[in-house]
Amino acid sequence: MAEKNDVLLSVRAPVGEINLAVTKCCIGRGVAALCMKESGNNFLYYTLIDNKKRLLTMESGSVFTAINKSNISNFPIIYPGKKQVDSFNSVVGVLDERILINTIESKALAETRDTLLPKLMSGEIRVPVEEVLEVV
């Protein structure tokens, strides 16, 4: 299981896709859920993104590439200390939350557009011209 805000890392082909869990979710065998022991995960997320090329050098396999727990556990990263990580997370966490909210709103708007546009084009729904002029 991955908890909300855990870092999700694809460990089987394709290796190296990185995301954040937006809710508690069940993950498959091709995905690892990573989290920081003492701090939020924003620092870990952006550190892995920044080091993705280096992470990909650890993949192996002839048919399907993969990385294993040992590769991940031994992957060296620079840890600046809890105070700096917490400071980073507090600033970036607000931005990431805004990105999530905007993404959810954008998806809802796209779904509304995709539902309404065909009905407007076919004439199933009509909008009086007076209402359109009032909005403009």
Side-chain angles (χ1 to χ4, degrees):
M1 294 296 292
E3 299 295 327
K4 181 179 181 183
N5 294 323
D6 277 359
V7 177
L8 303 176
L9 173 65
S10 172
V11 294
R12 292 193 181 155
V15 173
E17 294 301 316
I18 302 165
N19 257 308
L20 285 173
V22 295
T23 61
K24 183 176 182 176
C25 59
C26 182
I27 57 172
R29 294 187 305 178
V31 177
L34 310 173
C35 63
M36 301 277 292
K37 288 182 180 179
E38 297 180 1
S39 302
N41 293 325
N42 303 90
F43 174 79
L44 177 61
Y45 174 72
Y46 288 105
T47 299
L48 288 175
I49 287 175
D50 190 49
N51 289 279
K52 185 175 178 177
K53 285 183 183 177
R54 204 163 47 93
L55 184 67
L56 292 176
T57 64
M58 298 168 43
E59 65 184 337
S60 62
S62 56
V63 178
F64 294 106
T65 58
I67 56 175
N68 58 39
K69 183 177 180 179
S70 176
N71 295 134
I72 295 169
S73 297
N74 294 318
F75 186 71
I77 60 171
I78 296 173
Y79 181 74
K82 184 173 177 8
K83 183 177 178 181
Q84 288 79 7
V85 169
D86 287 344
S87 179
F88 176 87
N89 287 339
S90 68
V91 172
V92 173
V94 172
L95 299 174
D96 282 344
E97 189 65 28
R98 187 73 243 165
I99 290 169
L100 176 61
I101 290 167
N102 288 348
T103 301
I104 292 168
E105 288 177 358
S106 179
K107 184 178 179 185
L109 288 170
E111 289 172 359
T112 302
R113 177 205 61 217
D114 293 345
T115 301
L116 290 176
L117 190 57
K119 293 179 181 185
L120 288 166
M121 297 294 287
S122 70
E124 183 180 339
I125 298 176
R126 301 207 32 91
V127 179
V129 175
E130 298 82 29
E131 290 182 25
V132 173
L133 292 175
E134 287 177 18
V135 172
V136 175

